Amino acid sequence: MADDVHQVRAFDHPGEGRRRAKATPKGRQVDPTAAHEIAELLGEAPRRRDLLIEHLHLIQDTYHQISAAHLAALADEMKLSFAEVFETATFYAHFDVVKEGEPHLPPATIRVCDSLTCAMMGAERLQQDLSSQAGPEVRVVRAPCVGLCDAAPVAEVGHHFVRDATAAAVLDSLAQGDTHPHIPAYVDYDAYVKEGGYKLLTDLRAGRTSREDILKALDDSSLRGLGGAGFPTGRKWRAVLGEPGPRLMAVNGDEGEPGTFKDRFYLNGDPHRFLEGTLIAAHIVEAGEVYIYIRDEYPAAREILAREIAKLPPGGPVLHLRRGAGAYICGEESSLLESIEGKRGLPRHKPPYPFQVGLFGLPTLINNVETLWWVRDLVEKGPAWWTSHGRHGRTGLRSYSVSGRVKDPGVKLAPAGITVRELIDEFCGGMADGHTFHAYLPGGASGGILPASMDDIPLDFGTLEKYGCFIGSAAVIILSQQDSVRAAALNLMKFFEDESCGQCTPCRVGTQKAALLMQAPVWNRELLGELSQAMRDASICGLGQAASNPLASVIKYFPDEFKDAAE
């Protein structure tokens, strides 16, 4: 027994029976230089967990990459684990994380959009030309849709976008150091107030206009969410108001759907109409703080909002501007909330829904930019004005983002229910010279693809579902006889494969497997059909559930594409 006790004691006290191990610091060590740089960079900014992505942007903007040393220093500064910071930084495409032992990146990066419209307009050739001409000090990479589909192809140099890009124009921009966003002319605070702006908000806050007046106007006009889901706006506001306070509000300005750029159009032109709608909504649901999340590809919109928010008179909710980091999934409402909280944009399981348990665990109103942009007009002009518009039995107005093979692409404010043929002929100047209408996407990347022969379907909520399509955010992409519909579907599937958050197997593996099968000369349509059904049935969120819509549309509506492949 004594020997046993002695053995235990020797184990407990290594110095008595064993050689003591050499003392070394445990865990990842923080480089003093990197720690000093991070402390200087953050300055007096709070070190809160929800600001992690904002702080990562500071590092990326300053050093044009994020080293492992800076990640470790940031984790130490924010009192977070290295794993938390690393997994967040590597989730977002716009953070160029250089892992330990890897060489530093070239000082300049050019991103070439390769989403559908840019691909149709020559993005592949543009990237090849840039890769061969740029030189070793420049990195040329592919980028998903940057929201400039009406000016395709597009390349990004820093935060400057080159529209209708050629290799020469992009390299000239880089040589001149033109890396900052171009700020367009817009309606500023003084001009907006002079035209009657903020009178409605003032009347609401003073009690001259009641909360019920606003809600009734929304109900009577049947305004629906214009980010894609189409949920009735008035009903959503009432649902949030019915939850116990405190409440918060989040604005979804992360329109990453290929073909969609209407929010950019409104934010860059008349930002206070959006801000007034936002402040009205916050007042209605009694939200003390509003988080406005704008995609990283819209630097001009963020700069405009920062300038104009600073001009607002005191009072009302606190407005926080938050910056996306290149993740399409963050357009999904629960992923948006996760990103605002400084985390990876992984969709949450529902229920509970965000109006019940949302941002920081509080009831949260989430609205799209364009939805809020219309609030003032709907109340001041009245629901009858809104419902007086429309065609083919539909009511209201829609902002159609039109790109592709038309003479005049852009945001087209047109009657809800307009057909694609009417949209092309009346609002887009017809088809581009030398092009014949062949096919169209009625609702962006996930809204399906239809042949030109089906050009008489009203474009609105509820009119396309029976054809396996939907209107979504009204991103209309026009294809001609010069475009392959199979290639278009493959481009879209590769987009979804790249943008899948990876949380659920049906989407993560399904999009990858589908893209691989779609690259075969002859499609295995039976297997692709089974795979599509599994993705629709089992994916957590709308990305995986809708990713196969273009694929299914091509198989159903374009049989001639497969005759050529089989031969």
Side-chain angles (χ1 to χ4, degrees):
M1 177 68 70
D3 289 340
D4 291 340
V5 172
H6 177 75
Q7 288 173 0
V8 170
R9 286 175 177 170
F11 185 79
D12 288 345
H13 302 279
E16 296 179 11
R18 310 170 48 179
R19 186 171 59 186
R20 184 184 298 272
K22 183 179 179 181
T24 57
K26 298 295 189 291
R28 184 178 296 271
Q29 300 307 298
V30 177
D31 178 76
T33 300
H36 174 74
E37 290 170 343
I38 293 300
E40 288 286 309
L41 198 59
L42 268 56
E44 298 300 319
R47 271 56 170 174
R48 297 196 316 268
R49 176 67 172 84
D50 62 290
L51 291 174
L52 173 58
I53 293 173
E54 298 297 309
H55 296 339
L56 288 168
H57 273 302
L58 282 175
I59 302 172
Q60 178 72 39
D61 289 345
T62 303
Y63 297 99
H64 309 297
Q65 57 192 308
I66 304 177
S67 67
H70 280 148
L71 282 179
L74 180 63
D76 184 67
E77 186 74 19
M78 297 186 69
K79 302 297 186 288
L80 298 172
S81 70
F82 180 83
E84 284 181 277
V85 177
F86 180 81
E87 71 177 10
T88 300
T90 53
F91 180 85
Y92 295 93
H94 289 186
F95 295 140
D96 296 319
V97 177
V98 179
K99 299 175 183 177
E100 200 164 2
E102 292 182 346
H104 280 219
L105 299 175
T109 296
I110 297 173
R111 300 180 188 273
V112 179
C113 176
D114 69 349
S115 289
L116 181 54
T117 306
C118 282
M120 291 163 56
M121 300 300 179
E124 184 67 31
R125 178 60 183 272
L126 175 63
Q127 181 171 13
Q128 291 174 0
D129 290 346
L130 286 168
S131 296
S132 63
Q133 299 173 28
E137 295 300 304
V138 179
R139 185 174 61 123
V140 180
V141 298
R142 297 176 182 271
C145 186
V146 297
L148 286 166
C149 314
D150 51 337
V154 178
E156 180 183 2
V157 181
H159 293 301
H160 173 70
F161 294 89
V162 182
R163 305 172 181 229
D164 302 306
T166 63
V170 175
L171 294 175
D172 183 60
S173 178
L174 180 63
Q176 294 182 19
D178 192 4
T179 59
H180 299 288
H182 168 69
I183 307 299
Y186 63 90
V187 180
D188 66 6
Y189 177 78
D190 291 336
Y192 184 74
V193 171
K194 187 176 180 180
E195 296 172 356
Y198 290 112
K199 181 179 184 304
L200 178 60
L201 176 64
T202 301
D203 288 346
L204 176 64
R205 288 175 172 174
R208 292 186 291 272
T209 297
S210 70
R211 174 186 286 121
E212 189 55 37
D213 290 336
I214 304 289
L215 291 170
K216 188 175 187 305
L218 298 179
D219 292 338
D220 291 347
S221 64
S222 299
L223 179 66
R224 301 174 68 167
L226 298 173
F231 194 85
T233 304
R235 195 194 310 174
K236 178 183 281 190
W237 291 17
R238 291 179 190 276
V240 175
L241 188 59
E243 295 294 314
R247 308 177 191 92
L248 296 173
M249 180 176 175
V251 177
N252 189 343
D254 194 59
E255 59 170 5
E257 183 87 2
T260 309
F261 46 90
K262 60 184 179 60
D263 290 352
R264 168 182 61 82
F265 176 81
Y266 288 119
L267 288 173
N268 286 3
D270 197 354
H272 284 282
R273 194 171 298 268
F274 153 71
L275 287 172
E276 183 170 13
T278 299
L279 292 170
I280 288 170
H283 184 90
I284 295 292
V285 302
E286 299 174 359
E289 296 182 73
V290 179
Y291 290 79
I292 303 173
Y293 188 97
I294 304 296
R295 66 184 310 215
D296 197 30
E297 293 85 348
Y298 289 175
R302 290 198 314 275
E303 175 63 28
I304 290 170
L305 285 174
R307 290 180 186 179
E308 298 306 310
I309 288 173
K311 297 177 184 177
L312 295 175
V318 178
L319 301 182
H320 303 275
L321 262 183
R322 290 296 173 87
R323 179 178 170 186
Y328 167 73
I329 190 63
C330 291
E332 193 275 336
E333 61 177 8
S334 64
S335 300
L336 174 87
L337 300 180
E338 290 289 297
S339 190
I340 291 174
E341 292 180 3
K343 306 172 188 174
R344 294 176 295 168
L346 301 179
R348 298 176 180 177
H349 291 274
K350 303 171 187 176
Y353 295 95
F355 80 90
Q356 300 165 314
V357 180
L359 192 57
F360 307 118
L362 299 176
T364 304
L365 173 65
I366 306 175
N367 274 134
N368 165 261
V369 167
E370 191 199 354
T371 307
L372 297 165
W373 196 90
W374 283 113
V375 169
R376 177 189 165 192
D377 276 340
L378 282 177
V379 177
E380 291 183 348
K381 296 179 180 179
W385 165 78
W386 180 260
T387 56
S388 68
H389 299 281
R391 290 188 188 178
H392 307 294
R394 317 302 296 183
T395 59
L397 292 166
R398 291 302 303 267
S399 302
Y400 297 94
S401 303
V402 186
S403 64
R405 307 296 189 178
V406 293
K407 286 184 179 177
D408 183 24
V411 175
K412 309 298 178 180
L413 183 60
I418 196 172
T419 68
V420 69
R421 177 65 70 177
E422 292 168 337
L423 189 62
I424 293 171
D425 293 343
E426 298 177 33
F427 290 84
C428 301
M431 294 293 293
D433 293 339
H435 292 269
T436 302
F437 184 30
H438 176 54
Y440 68 105
L441 282 70
S446 55
I449 307 176
L450 293 172
S453 59
M454 299 173 67
D455 63 355
D456 58 349
I457 304 171
L459 299 177
D460 197 16
F461 294 115
T463 60
L464 293 152
E465 281 75 2
K466 63 182 178 181
Y467 305 105
C469 301
F470 56 80
I471 189 68
S473 58
V476 181
I477 305 176
I478 306 299
L479 283 65
S480 78
Q481 84 285 1
Q482 295 187 19
D483 303 307
S484 165
V485 178
R486 291 178 76 227
L490 175 58
N491 177 282
L492 299 172
M493 188 59 73
K494 286 182 174 179
F495 169 80
F496 290 124
E497 177 190 3
D498 187 60
E499 294 296 332
S500 173
C501 75
Q503 182 177 195
C504 70
T505 302
C507 177
R508 181 184 68 250
V509 178
T511 52
Q512 181 184 44
K513 181 68 172 178
L516 184 64
L517 291 170
M518 291 166 71
Q519 293 178 63
V522 180
W523 285 6
N524 184 335
R525 283 178 274 178
E526 182 178 356
L527 181 56
L528 282 168
E530 293 177 2
L531 183 59
S532 298
Q533 191 62 51
M535 291 166 63
R536 283 192 292 269
D537 291 344
S539 296
I540 291 175
C541 79
L543 190 155
Q545 294 164 11
S548 63
N549 286 344
L551 161 64
S553 297
V554 172
I555 292 175
K556 183 176 181 179
Y557 296 116
F558 298 90
D560 291 345
E561 296 269 341
F562 297 98
K563 288 180 182 178
D564 294 338
E567 294 170 0

